[in-house]
Amino acid sequence: MIPAAFDYQKASSVEEAVGLLKEHGMDAKILAGGHSLIPAMKLRLNQPGILIDISGISELNGIKVDGNTLVIGANTTHGAIAKSAEVASSAPVLAATAGVIGDVQIRNKGTIGGSIAHADPAADWPAALIACNSSIEVMGSGGSRTIAAADFFVGIYETALEDGEVIVAIHVPKVPGTAGSAYEKFFQPASRFAIVGCAAVLEMKDNFCTSARVAFTGVADTAFLDEKVSAALENQTLDDATIKAASELAASDAEILGDHFASEEYRQHLAKVFAERAIRAAIANA
Amino acid sequence: MKKQINLTVNGKAYSHEVEPRTLLVHYLRDTLRLTGTHVGCDTSSCGSCTILMDGQAVKCCSLLAVQADGANITTIEGLAENGTLHPLQEGFREEHGLQCGFCTPGMIMTAADLLSNNADPSEEEIRHALEGNFCRCTGYHNIVKSIQYAANKINKKEVVS
């Protein structure tokens, strides 16, 4: 399979990429690692007239800690995030999530910015980023702005990015040392996408949960924070009965997807199972 | 409009003009005639197109040749040195790690990435590293043994088979 013909330009700065996006409008697409975009172009689901390659922009690459915030450049690969000591200590659930995306080869090339811009409803990042209360820094011709991860993912392959905006970085508040966190997913065995993925970040005081954020991906047309499950855990002693009762509420407000991988009923069941696994795993590493 | 790319493949420098839509795997196979890198699923699932790009295993059916501008690439053809098989190639021969052989170049290149990061992987680590490579013949057992053979040989351990 060969993509339709297109033009190619390499941007050397974010400003240049934004300028090129403005110049070419809807005909342009941003190329980072290409591991979401190129397969779509090979299937001719996407036929941009020009690709703007941002992979050489060094300011978009790398992971740093800025005070209480972990800042992950948009061009950072999943593999680099999985192996990062900063991520492991500041937001371990993101390292865990990065490590189960695709396979070794995909993680070596695919980027966090590219993945979230593509916004596949079964991608792994959205649930983890929402559970960590992250925000997405973007740059357009009017300047930069940040969007809460919970507002960024709008629908199937749809984000809150405006025309002409480029993702610059992901800002993640450091997960407190007293918190436990986990990402548990049910793999689609060939594509490795999440049929259901659940991320949980629980702030714990001994066995008492002071704050809970449980988010899902793969379940509905976009990832979401499960407010019911989170509320059922917050300000509770997390005994067996509380965990089970909270998990039973999983995805109860969601419009659940049904497809040839998993029916609506099966996905709802998986959401409960994987909520419980993520909650228990988060408690275990608090 | 064609773009100029300059890259190193198996230690040799190349410079070509390519259409932006040329996939890296087709550049390697059709332009450089390095047909050891295979196109299997053509959707970045099966791993038979795996090569090393700047030392990391990548699936080149989902990369453009223009993305390899400036890169240092190793394909299966670049592993043997002066006619001596790489320990992984030897391992696949000795341990019957292939049947039809279609997936083998990708398996070996992924294993080369693994061994460069982890010289003495456990069986579980080997199986985990191969999650992006499909073999439809062997059932993977002999592939794992082949990689263990190579790790042992590289680490100069006694090979027990």
Side-chain angles (χ1 to χ4, degrees):
Chain A
M1 297 180 290
I2 295 166
F6 56 86
D7 221 343
Y8 169 88
Q9 205 152 341
K10 205 159 179 174
S12 54
S13 68
V14 178
E15 288 73 23
E16 190 186 353
V18 168
L20 285 165
L21 271 182
K22 195 172 181 188
E23 183 186 337
H24 295 282
M26 294 296 281
D27 205 27
K29 280 293 243 183
I30 294 283
L31 175 70
H35 273 32
S36 300
L37 180 60
I38 294 170
M41 288 172 63
K42 287 171 70 177
L43 292 166
R44 309 227 174 175
L45 297 171
N46 220 313
Q47 301 192 21
I50 179 167
L51 288 190
I52 301 162
D53 186 348
I54 59 167
S55 64
I57 303 177
S58 54
E59 65 194 278
L60 293 181
N61 211 331
I63 298 161
K64 61 179 187 218
V65 176
D66 182 7
N68 239 354
T69 308
L70 179 72
V71 183
I72 304 173
N75 277 354
T76 312
T77 62
H78 313 310
I81 296 169
K83 289 178 202 148
S84 158
E86 285 98 336
V87 177
S89 66
S90 302
V93 65
L94 297 188
T97 302
V100 294
I101 293 173
D103 50 49
V104 177
Q105 296 97 313
I106 301 294
R107 294 194 287 274
N108 281 341
K109 202 69 196 164
T111 69
I112 187 169
S115 173
I116 65 173
H118 187 65
D120 191 299
D124 296 296
W125 280 127
L129 294 179
I130 291 170
C132 286
N133 207 8
S134 317
S135 52
I136 320 297
E137 179 191 347
V138 305
M139 171 85 91
S141 51
S144 74
R145 65 180 181 123
T146 56
I147 307 160
D151 300 327
F152 183 81
F153 302 100
V154 175
I156 295 178
Y157 305 120
E158 199 184 344
T159 67
L161 276 173
E162 298 283 353
D163 291 346
E165 284 182 331
V166 177
I167 298 171
V168 174
I170 292 86
H171 295 250
V172 189
K174 274 190 183 178
V175 175
T178 54
S181 60
Y183 178 66
E184 296 285 332
K185 79 190 260 198
F186 187 68
F187 285 87
Q188 203 284 337
S191 74
R192 321 293 287 172
F193 274 97
I195 289 176
V196 167
C198 180
V201 179
L202 309 177
E203 287 181 37
M204 302 293 289
K205 214 170 183 181
D206 299 323
N207 207 22
F208 188 80
C209 175
T210 55
S211 160
R213 288 179 70 86
V214 176
F216 284 100
T217 190
V219 174
D221 63 358
T222 184
F224 61 93
L225 179 71
D226 197 316
E227 288 173 358
K228 278 196 177 158
V229 176
S230 305
L233 297 168
E234 219 162 84
N235 298 318
Q236 301 291 330
T237 299
L238 298 189
D239 54 27
D240 215 46
T242 310
I243 295 166
K244 277 201 184 324
S247 307
E248 274 301 309
L249 299 170
S252 44
D253 285 339
E255 277 196 41
I256 297 171
L257 291 175
D259 56 26
H260 58 293
F261 297 133
S263 68
E264 200 179 313
E265 189 188 3
Y266 185 39
R267 260 199 179 79
Q268 170 110 58
H269 172 72
L270 286 172
K272 293 175 186 176
V273 171
F274 281 79
E276 187 173 338
R277 287 187 191 176
I279 293 164
R280 288 190 190 278
I283 294 169
N285 70 27
Chain B
M1 200 168 52
K2 286 194 170 183
K3 293 281 171 188
Q4 172 91 20
I5 58 168
N6 304 298
L7 69 169
T8 304
V9 182
N10 301 332
K12 206 173 154 192
Y14 292 94
S15 183
H16 282 103
E17 290 218 318
V18 295
E19 255 197 282
R21 64 170 165 172
T22 306
L23 297 170
L24 181 55
V25 70
H26 293 146
Y27 172 75
L28 294 171
R29 288 177 55 84
D30 301 342
T31 305
L32 303 188
R33 303 301 297 161
L34 295 170
T35 53
T37 303
H38 293 162
V39 182
C41 69
D42 208 5
T43 59
S44 59
S45 297
C46 80
S48 65
C49 66
T50 302
I51 58 166
L52 299 182
M53 192 165 169
D54 297 324
Q56 292 192 310
V58 296
K59 293 179 171 178
C60 66
C61 80
S62 290
L63 287 169
L64 303 168
V66 287
Q67 289 177 284
D69 183 30
N72 188 358
I73 284 172
T74 307
T75 68
I76 187 71
E77 291 92 340
L79 280 189
E81 278 182 39
N82 304 319
T84 306
L85 291 183
H86 185 278
L88 278 164
Q89 293 171 306
E90 189 183 310
F92 272 70
R93 186 185 64 192
E94 294 302 317
E95 298 291 345
H96 305 282
L98 60 148
Q99 287 180 29
C100 86
F102 194 88
C103 72
T104 312
M107 289 285 177
I108 289 180
M109 300 316 286
T110 303
D113 179 321
L114 169 69
L115 295 183
S116 71
N117 289 306
N118 180 357
D120 195 13
S122 66
E123 180 184 338
E124 192 187 343
E125 285 169 331
I126 293 172
R127 288 185 184 274
H128 189 65
L130 296 178
E131 65 189 347
N133 291 77
F134 299 166
C135 171
R136 299 291 79 150
C137 308
T138 68
Y140 300 94
H141 293 309
N142 288 357
I143 292 173
V144 173
K145 280 190 204 163
S146 306
I147 296 168
Q148 287 169 327
Y149 176 103
N152 288 339
K153 175 151 187 180
I154 292 166
N155 296 328
K156 300 199 171 19
K157 284 190 196 170
E158 197 184 338
V159 176
V160 183
S161 60

